[in-house]
Amino acid sequence: MGALKTALFKRVAVIGLGLIGSSLTRAIAAEGLADEVVGFDASPEVRRLAAALPDFGASIADSLESVLDGADLVIMAVPVGAMEGLAALVAPQLKAGAILSDVGSVKGRIIEAVVPLLPEGVYFVPGHPVAGTEFSGPEAGFASLFAGRWCIITPVEGTPSEVVARVVQFWERLGSSVEEMSAEHHDIVLAITSHIPHLIAYNIVGTAADLEEVTSSEVIKYSAGGFRDFTRIAASDPVMWRDVFMNNKEAVLEMLGRFTEDLTQLQRHIRRGDEQALEDLFTRTRAIRRSIVEAGQETEKPDFGR
Amino acid sequence: MGALKTALFKRVAVIGLGLIGSSLTRAIAAEGLADEVVGFDASPEVRRLAAALPDFGASIADSLESVLDGADLVIMAVPVGAMEGLAALVAPQLKAGAILSDVGSVKGRIIEAVVPLLPEGVYFVPGHPVAGTEFSGPEAGFASLFAGRWCIITPVEGTPSEVVARVVQFWERLGSSVEEMSAEHHDIVLAITSHIPHLIAYNIVGTAADLEEVTSSEVIKYSAGGFRDFTRIAASDPVMWRDVFMNNKEAVLEMLGRFTEDLTQLQRHIRRGDEQALEDLFTRTRAIRRSIVEAGQETEKPDFGR
């Protein structure tokens, strides 16, 4: 005898049916957030796969025009590099009062690209659910992906507060906590909490793969010593991540510079045998994990519960 | 109606009752590998804690002398920096025919330190189980820690093959697969599969903690974007890891140099907008994770199954 699930929107269109898009369709359907949910993807193969999935939550349109028809919320869930091109096709077809949104991992460049394309009476409310797995495609999504996670909204200047509030409510109904901040601050925060970790993981997996003295098979066999933890995020979608780095260049290079300065200092500590300096750092970092577990953003099971 | 569990040793002494030592006591007892298992730790508090744990698997001695009395296998499970001092106390008390072993994450320096101390007829068979969690202490260990993992043995020149074989069999009975290699090769392999990953993780957690523009609470809140994966191994035992870096300096600095060269190249790709180079690397690294899962060294569940 659950609470009546009120629809927040008449028709939600999700464009891009990868991990995030296909989690959105499932979650919106599960929560009864819209009278109708409809999905579209540029790839006919993805559309075919999605249409064949029993729990997908949305009907699949066969054109951009038909997915947008009558939509009052349109969510772009495509790689950041494709966002501008998509918005150029989508924006002219939106009716006044429709809300355009997204889920991209960078916000500044997307706002610069999309806002000039909007017709009168159509608002763009940029969003970023800080959630994901290393898998891709319409079969990878699941309804609970956003539950217990944070969603960051970076409202565009001049957007009526009740429009922003509708999008905030949408994400809260999907189980997320919502935080609002400027696009610039978002891009710096995500540079350190997400983009640089991914860059570092990609780098170390690449470095290990290129060694002459240690074979790939040895790297794989002995990966339980720490390496394997990095390989998960280094298995993340290559196109999505290529676009993230291309579109958050300034913040990423800034954070990378700091990372490298600190790493050089660690290198010096090792070379010079400064063991106390090492022990002090390692003691400090242990406390940070405890905080993440306590903030409900991580399991407390040893070894991630593996 | 299980197979009869034959004891391989009369009396196994485990010195150092942290995560690894306390997993050893539990595992040896569970497998019936010894007629007796006895443990010792330099800390009276640890000895007290261990003695109070119901499933610990070993009786707790109150002195080094009594734990070694009659032992035919002695395993040193202390931080690498404490190994030489411990071996100096232990070696003179060992009877001919006893086997000394260890579980340290570096092998070259330990062999250099320990072998000169051995009395006639006592052999040192260095070992390294590539296994662990981010937790510490006698309460953190568990019997299945070594199951399905690799254990690397780096035999000392001149050790009779039947002595090495007994230690290999010991680890196989604990559920590990065993590989033999030179200490030098071990130290290079582990530098890339374990030591550098830990160093990088420690570094990035430290860098994130020191930012002015992004608060610690923001880093924690948005950690599900990738950062949290690094915090687990950056929560590893500070003393153990301080000693690893102090005792595998050459291999660590070599691997760190390569990591940094590759990272600088990635930085250039980002600065110059070389998107194809990024996409190529990210595609390559995705395949490596698949190999680790297929080699049975990692779960295939999305997001580590969290």
Side-chain angles (χ1 to χ4, degrees), chain A residues 58-126:
Chain A
S59 56
I60 309 301
D62 52 19
S63 71
L64 203 53
E65 191 183 38
S66 63
V67 79
L68 295 173
D69 187 23
D72 49 349
L73 173 66
V74 176
I75 304 177
M76 299 185 289
V78 299
V80 161
M83 204 84 70
E84 184 171 5
L86 177 62
L89 297 171
V90 163
Q93 303 191 51
L94 297 173
K95 58 190 215 292
I99 297 173
L100 181 64
S101 191
D102 79 314
V103 295
S105 303
V106 302
K107 301 261 63 77
R109 286 288 302 266
I110 290 177
I111 290 174
E112 276 173 28
V114 170
V115 166
L117 303 166
L118 300 170
E120 195 69 41
V122 173
Y123 294 102
F124 177 46
V125 183

Side-chain angles (χ1 to χ4, degrees), chain A residues 151-221:
Chain A
C151 182
I152 300 173
I153 304 283
T154 59
V156 176
E157 215 183 296
T159 308
S161 53
E162 60 270 18
V163 172
V164 175
R166 287 182 79 196
V167 176
V168 170
Q169 194 184 8
F170 172 85
W171 283 103
E172 286 175 343
R173 285 276 299 274
L174 293 182
S176 295
S177 301
V178 178
E179 187 84 27
E180 289 181 40
M181 65 181 69
S182 74
E184 190 181 9
H185 190 63
H186 166 279
D187 289 350
I188 283 271
V189 171
L190 271 297
I192 192 62
T193 59
S194 179
H195 307 165
I196 294 299
H198 278 77
L199 192 68
I200 297 313
Y202 280 125
N203 191 62
I204 199 175
V205 175
T207 299
D210 289 345
L211 297 171
E212 313 89 53
E213 313 91 318
V214 182
T215 67
S216 303
S217 109
E218 285 179 307
V219 168
I220 288 163
K221 270 161 83 164

Side-chain angles (χ1 to χ4, degrees), chain B:
Chain B
M1 216 93 4
L4 184 69
K5 288 184 174 179
T6 339
L8 297 180
F9 293 94
K10 288 204 217 42
R11 182 172 160 111
V12 177
V14 177
I15 305 172
L17 301 177
L19 170 69
I20 305 298
S22 69
S23 295
L24 275 171
T25 52
R26 290 169 168 105
I28 295 166
E31 282 300 311
L33 285 181
D35 293 330
E36 281 183 273
V37 198
V38 60
F40 178 76
D41 195 286
S43 154
E45 179 60 19
V46 169
R47 296 198 299 270
R48 197 191 58 76
L49 269 167
L53 290 162
D55 64 334
F56 197 73
S59 56
I60 310 300
D62 54 18
S63 70
L64 203 51
E65 190 182 39
S66 61
V67 80
L68 295 173
D69 186 22
D72 50 347
L73 173 66
V74 177
I75 305 178
M76 299 184 290
V78 299
V80 161
M83 205 85 71
E84 183 170 5
L86 177 62
L89 296 172
V90 163
Q93 304 192 51
L94 298 173
K95 55 187 216 292
I99 298 173
L100 182 63
S101 191
D102 79 315
V103 295
S105 303
V106 302
K107 300 263 63 78
R109 285 288 302 266
I110 290 177
I111 289 174
E112 276 172 31
V114 170
V115 166
L117 303 166
L118 300 171
E120 195 70 41
V122 173
Y123 295 103
F124 178 45
V125 183
H128 175 207
V130 185
T133 76
E134 66 276 25
F135 290 93
S136 300
E139 64 283 10
F142 51 99
S144 61
L145 179 64
F146 312 107
R149 300 271 79 87
W150 283 89
C151 183
I152 300 174
I153 304 283
T154 59
V156 176
E157 215 182 294
T159 308
S161 54
E162 61 271 17
V163 172
V164 176
R166 286 182 80 193
V167 177
V168 169
Q169 195 184 9
F170 172 84
W171 284 103
E172 286 174 343
R173 285 276 300 272
L174 293 181
S176 295
S177 301
V178 179
E179 187 85 27
E180 290 181 41
M181 64 182 69
S182 73
E184 192 183 7
H185 190 64
H186 166 280
D187 290 350
I188 282 269
V189 171
L190 271 296
I192 191 64
T193 59
S194 180
H195 306 164
I196 293 298
H198 278 76
L199 191 69
I200 297 312
Y202 281 125
N203 191 61
I204 200 175
V205 176
T207 300
D210 289 345
L211 297 171
E212 314 88 52
E213 312 92 318
V214 181
T215 66
S216 301
S217 109
E218 286 179 306
V219 168
I220 288 161
K221 270 161 85 165
Y222 308 120
S223 54
F227 186 75
R228 65 179 176 167
D229 290 28
F230 283 58
T231 61
R232 189 188 76 82
I233 63 179
S236 298
D237 191 282
V239 170
M240 175 197 150
W241 282 95
R242 173 201 76 190
D243 285 356
V244 164
F245 294 116
M246 292 292 94
N247 287 279
N248 196 24
K249 199 179 288 195
E250 213 177 284
V252 164
L253 291 175
E254 169 68 27
M255 290 296 140
L256 188 50
R258 292 169 187 238
F259 173 87
T260 308
E261 284 162 20
D262 291 346
L263 189 60
T264 303
Q265 184 164 60
L266 263 188
Q267 181 177 304
R268 174 187 282 127
H269 288 321
I270 292 171
R271 196 184 293 286
R272 295 179 16 158
D274 291 339
E275 50 171 69
Q276 193 58 52
L278 291 185
E279 193 183 340
D280 289 347
L281 171 66
F282 301 166
T283 303
R284 266 207 303 145
T285 56
R286 203 174 215 192
I288 288 164
R289 178 153 186 86
R290 183 92 293 256
S291 305
I292 290 179
V293 171
E294 281 165 11
Q297 292 306 306
E298 178 58 290
T299 177
E300 61 181 348
K301 296 187 205 145
D303 203 27
F304 298 129
R306 280 177 292 206

